[in-house]
Amino acid sequence: MKLELIFLGPPACGKGTQTNMLAEYLDFPHIDTGSLLRTEIAKQSKDGIIAKSFIDKGQLVPPELVGNIIKNRLTKEDCAKGYILDGYPRSLAQAELLEKINSEIDKEKAVFKAIYFDIDTQILIDRIVNRQSCPKCGEIYNKKFKPSKVENICDHCNVELKTRADDNEEIAKARFETYYRETAPLIEFYQNKNLLYKIDANGSINEVWERLIKVINE
Ligand code: AMP
């Protein structure tokens, strides 16, 4: 049966690392709205220029912009047996739009899971300001907690690691405010529908992975 997975949790809770691993494990597309928007910014497309002005303030980009991106992406053939959505939905309106999109594209009944990464938020700003990623394979590193073998170089691709423009303390604080105001209400939204799967996201990458796999196979 088709498996639709969405992920909730505050910025830098480890969703990106785990969903990258999960996409490979399940052979599902990993659809990460933040990365899709950063690609638009790099191309300096019309959407990218609009998105940048919101991302630079730690705010959500307008719902129509990201809604169109998601709708186009979820109708692609590679989503037929399932998908991993990382960073969408991020508000109640987006969650309702996703339900509508799914009801339009699903040919048969699908299993939907909203996986919530429950984490101690005190460590997260420190994670954000030290975060780096590989522009080629998407692997996420951290100068303090998960450094690359050679400073600033990806272990797999041998290319220079990048730091996201919005990974600084000031924008990170605004992103947390946005998360608590707009996205955190989704925890209750999905709980009320019996679709919420909460995992403890504190601990090592392997510990969180074990907990995640358990929930996926439930
Ligand atoms: P992320 O890479 O998930 O941390 O997202 C980076 C930024 O992209 C966020 O702070 C938002 O400005 C924007 N963004 C990502 N996903 C969404 C979404 N579903 N709705 C609106 N804005 C988003």
Side-chain angles (χ1 to χ4, degrees), residues 2-3 8 60 66 94 106 114 116 167 170 178 198 209:
K2 185 176 178 188
L3 181 58
L8 300 171
L60 296 185
V66 75
Q94 292 186 6
D106 288 347
Y116 167 45
D167 272 353
E170 194 194 339
T178 304
K198 178 162 124 176
W209 174 248

Side-chain angles (χ1 to χ4, degrees), residues 9-18 117-133 140-146 163-164 167-169 172 175-176 200-205 207-208 211:
C13 65
K15 285 191 311 285
T17 300
Q18 298 290 336
F117 278 41
D118 187 20
I119 191 162
D120 178 0
T121 50
Q122 270 148 5
I123 59 158
L124 297 182
I125 293 273
D126 214 23
R127 264 197 196 175
I128 288 180
V129 296
N130 288 294
R131 182 158 67 176
Q132 295 178 302
S133 67
I140 300 165
Y141 295 88
N142 188 289
K143 283 187 248 177
K144 221 165 154 181
F145 308 112
K146 190 194 164 205
T163 299
R164 280 170 47 170
D167 272 353
N168 64 58
E169 199 164 334
R175 283 159 61 201
F176 277 99
D200 176 5
N202 297 290
S204 70
I205 291 173
E207 283 165 339
V208 178
R211 295 174 199 139

Side-chain angles (χ1 to χ4, degrees), residues 11-12 15 32-38 41 51-52 54-63 66-67 70 86-91 94 131 164 166-167 171 174-175 178:
K15 285 191 311 285
D32 164 9
T33 44
S35 296
L36 292 172
L37 292 168
R38 284 186 287 280
I41 294 175
K52 186 175 183 315
F54 291 88
I55 292 177
D56 284 351
K57 288 190 264 183
Q59 296 170 357
L60 296 185
V61 307
V66 75
I70 286 297
D86 175 6
Y88 194 94
R90 251 165 148 121
S91 67
Q94 292 186 6
R131 182 158 67 176
R164 280 170 47 170
D166 60 345
D167 272 353
I171 301 180
R175 283 159 61 201
T178 304

Side-chain angles (χ1 to χ4, degrees), residues 47 57 65 85 95 115 130 142 155 170 175 187 210 214:
D47 280 353
K57 288 190 264 183
L65 194 158
L85 262 188
I115 300 171
N130 288 294
N142 188 289
D155 293 352
E170 194 194 339
R175 283 159 61 201
I187 298 166
E210 295 296 325
K214 234 179 169 170

